[in-house]
Amino acid sequence: MSSELSINDSNKTTNILFIYHRLDGIGGIETRWIDEFKYLNKHNYQVYLLTNKRAFDPNIAKLFNTCHFTTVDIESVSLATDFIKLVDHVVNTIESHDIKLLSIHMLDLFACAAVMAAQLCRIPVISTVHGPLDIYRKPFNRLFIQMLTGESFSLSIYVSKLLESIMPARNANKAIIPNLINLNEYRHQTSEITPAWLLISRISAEKYESILRFLQAANSCNIANIDIAGGGDPLELRKRINALDIKTQVRFLGEVRDIAELIPGYLGVAGMGRVAIEGLACQKPVCIISPEGSLIGLVTTYNFTRLKNYNFTGKGLVAIDNQELSKQLERHTPENSQRLYQKLKHELSIDNWDKYIELYKKITFIDNQALESLYHKLAYFAVTLSRPFEKDEFLWHLFYETLIEYKLDNIKEMYHYYENSIGLNSDYPNPYKTNKKIKWREKFK
């Protein structure tokens, strides 16, 4: 049931609250916000951001000069007492700052608590899904956080068509808003070019496969030097690189904050996601390596749209071998980079925020009485729920009881499917990790 509240008065400032469980680093979500917040401010929105005090870096916050910050000290959001504390804190924030709209990022318990608060305060909710790992965790996440909480979403946003297909909106109002880029921050030319390629990636175990695959390809294509920019400990990765026995020389730059100043000095860029967009913005040849370690090859005018639809992760495209990459590099010209830049400017420039933010002005509050009921049950029984939510049988009882009371048969059906197939407490396997020892198929026998 929708209320009559609509955010459509363009002459009045509207306070919008963003919720995220951390702000202690710069990744795709934070980079996206820097521009989104500026455009929201341009459209008469005052932005607030609430995060966990335990994962808040004031130096990162300085990058958001149009945003007001508030923090809450939560030790374990999966415990009922802290969860209810978080809900109540968000309610107080909404009321004290006259918040009219909530925007959540990452479908986790932190965001779920915020949606409960929005329900209590009867304000609309925007949900943005950034990646598959945002969705696939445990049946608990899909049932409680995505399905039941998802009934509250007034607008569901996906950064790619892949995500839209994996997680259909609970309500009809949805949009694909890709990651956009401020082209004014990126240069096309520099007086000094390092005879090397730049690989941009976080140095962590789930990234090893993609990094090593590109190094193998680079060696085969006679790329003599590669610099790797990204935070993390390179010790283990260096051991794996040495085991490849390649001639290509590799240097680790560590975490680089001003990547826009770094890229122009290289022959080309390798990576995925936001990295590809930044490389194209500097009119460099860009090589995509998929998260699971497949070599996708150069971005071209022919595959640009398909890559964009999958957030430049390489999904939907067939992997190539080293020889094909060598041919692509031989064919690539500065004119190709210029044509790609024009496509980027048209489709992924931050100026597109102007039309996307118009969607924010048309949404209405959606009443989710079942979620509100579950909040009151959790608040009442909080002191008796001493185990993490997904492991507490009484929590599951309260959840299923609510499904019956509000006749949510679609969620009940999924509940029984998970219970009878993989189990309610099972983790989905992570396809991007190298330690794939779990025999997932055994769970379906």
Side-chain angles (χ1 to χ4, degrees):
M1 176 181 176
S2 299
S3 77
E4 295 301 318
L5 173 63
S6 181
I7 301 172
N8 53 19
D9 186 353
S10 59
N11 297 319
K12 182 181 179 182
T13 299
T14 299
N15 294 341
I16 179 172
L17 177 63
F18 281 71
I19 296 286
Y20 191 41
H21 66 275
R22 66 190 307 159
L23 189 71
D24 56 358
I26 290 293
I29 294 177
E30 293 82 8
T31 305
R32 179 183 176 105
W33 281 347
I34 290 172
D35 296 320
E36 182 181 5
F37 289 0
K38 291 177 182 177
Y39 275 77
L40 280 166
N41 190 255
K42 173 184 172 183
H43 285 261
N44 294 325
Y45 285 86
Q46 177 57 63
V47 177
Y48 293 79
L49 193 148
L50 187 151
T51 189
N52 197 344
K53 184 178 182 180
R54 295 166 183 258
F56 176 73
D57 185 343
N59 292 321
I60 301 297
K62 292 177 182 177
L63 299 173
F64 303 88
N65 54 16
T66 59
C67 176
H68 296 312
F69 292 93
T70 179
T71 61
V72 56
D73 191 6
I74 296 295
E75 182 176 354
S76 177
V77 73
S78 66
L79 295 177
T81 49
D82 269 3
F83 183 84
I84 295 303
K85 174 185 174 182
L86 176 57
V87 176
D88 294 344
H89 185 91
V90 178
V91 168
N92 290 338
T93 302
I94 291 171
E95 292 178 344
S96 61
H97 295 292
D98 193 27
I99 302 296
K100 299 298 184 184
L101 180 62
L102 178 74
S103 178
I104 65 167
H105 296 257
M106 192 64 68
L107 297 172
D108 57 10
L109 278 170
F110 200 92
C112 179
V115 178
M116 281 187 170
Q119 168 66 32
L120 295 170
C121 296
R122 309 191 77 73
I123 64 171
V125 176
I126 297 173
S127 168
T128 301
V129 180
H130 293 267
L133 292 182
D134 190 3
I135 300 170
Y136 287 120
R137 291 198 188 97
K138 291 184 177 182
F140 174 80
N141 290 68
R142 290 185 72 86
L143 291 166
F144 180 24
I145 301 172
Q146 297 168 29
M147 296 189 72
L148 179 58
T149 306
E151 298 285 347
S152 301
F153 299 162
S154 302
L155 173 63
S156 294
I157 293 173
Y158 310 94
V159 301
S160 73
K161 286 188 175 181
L162 168 69
L163 299 171
E164 180 191 33
S165 300
I166 290 177
M167 186 183 171
R170 309 305 304 168
N171 297 292
N173 199 13
K174 61 181 181 179
I176 295 175
I177 303 181
N179 289 320
L180 305 176
I181 188 166
N182 185 353
L183 296 174
N184 295 327
E185 296 181 355
Y186 294 84
R187 295 179 293 120
H188 310 149
Q189 297 177 346
T190 184
S191 57
E192 297 182 6
I193 297 290
T194 302
W197 271 61
L198 179 65
L199 194 161
I200 306 172
S201 173
R202 184 176 68 254
I203 309 300
S204 54
E206 71 273 13
K207 298 290 187 179
Y208 289 168
E209 292 294 325
S210 59
I211 293 172
L212 295 171
R213 180 65 188 93
F214 181 71
L215 295 181
Q216 288 176 317
N219 183 70
S220 178
C221 296
N222 298 316
I223 296 176
N225 300 284
I226 292 178
D227 287 351
I228 300 179
D233 185 355
L235 182 60
E236 176 61 28
L237 179 58
R238 173 62 77 181
K239 292 178 182 177
R240 298 186 184 217
I241 293 172
N242 292 339
L244 293 178
D245 191 25
I246 59 176
K247 295 180 180 179
T248 298
Q249 297 298 306
V250 179
R251 184 173 61 150
F252 291 93
L253 305 181
E255 184 173 2
V256 178
R257 291 289 177 89
D258 197 354
I259 203 72
E261 291 296 316
L262 188 66
I263 294 175
Y266 286 85
L267 298 173
V269 174
M272 65 191 80
R274 180 82 185 183
V275 170
I277 301 174
E278 293 175 328
L280 295 174
C282 293
Q283 296 191 17
K284 297 294 181 180
V286 173
C287 183
I288 303 293
I289 328 119
S290 73
E292 63 270 17
S294 296
L295 182 68
I296 303 301
L298 295 190
V299 181
T300 68
T301 54
Y302 300 103
N303 64 21
F304 177 88
T305 299
R306 194 166 181 85
L307 283 167
K308 182 199 74 171
N309 289 342
Y310 290 88
N311 198 26
F312 292 91
T313 60
K315 293 292 184 182
L317 291 177
V318 176
I320 63 171
D321 57 22
N322 298 345
Q323 186 177 7
E324 178 59 27
L325 177 61
S326 181
K327 292 178 181 178
Q328 289 182 354
L329 290 170
E330 291 175 3
R331 293 193 296 263
H332 191 84
T333 66
E335 289 72 25
N336 295 140
S337 292
Q338 291 173 12
R339 285 194 290 269
L340 283 165
Y341 180 83
Q342 292 305 317
K343 291 182 73 67
L344 188 74
K345 183 177 181 181
H346 176 69
E347 299 183 38
L348 295 177
S349 165
I350 56 169
D351 291 339
N352 285 292
W353 274 119
D354 279 334
K355 66 180 180 182
Y356 290 135
I357 287 173
E358 289 299 317
L359 297 170
Y360 294 14
K361 301 176 182 179
K362 301 174 183 177
I363 63 175
T364 58
F365 168 74
I366 295 177
D367 194 1
N368 187 346
Q369 295 181 22
L371 189 66
E372 184 171 347
S373 172
L374 186 58
Y375 159 77
H376 289 297
K377 292 175 182 178
L378 290 175
Y380 182 79
F381 289 109
V383 295
T384 69
L385 296 168
S386 57
R387 304 184 68 198
F389 275 166
E390 65 269 24
K391 298 179 180 179
D392 197 302
E393 292 183 3
F394 191 68
L395 180 279
W396 280 110
H397 160 75
L398 294 175
F399 175 77
Y400 195 79
E401 174 186 81
T402 306
L403 300 183
I404 295 173
E405 290 171 342
Y406 288 88
K407 297 181 171 56
L408 297 174
D409 293 336
N410 60 323
I411 305 179
K412 282 173 55 182
E413 183 179 357
M414 287 298 292
Y415 178 100
H416 289 302
Y417 168 73
Y418 287 130
E419 186 178 40
N420 295 328
S421 59
I422 63 177
L424 292 170
N425 292 319
S426 294
D427 276 312
Y428 280 87
N430 184 344
Y432 304 144
K433 287 189 176 180
T434 55
N435 54 338
K436 304 170 187 175
K437 296 181 180 180
I438 181 172
K439 295 182 179 179
W440 189 254
R441 294 182 184 276
E442 295 294 325
K443 291 180 175 288
F444 292 90
K445 288 185 177 179

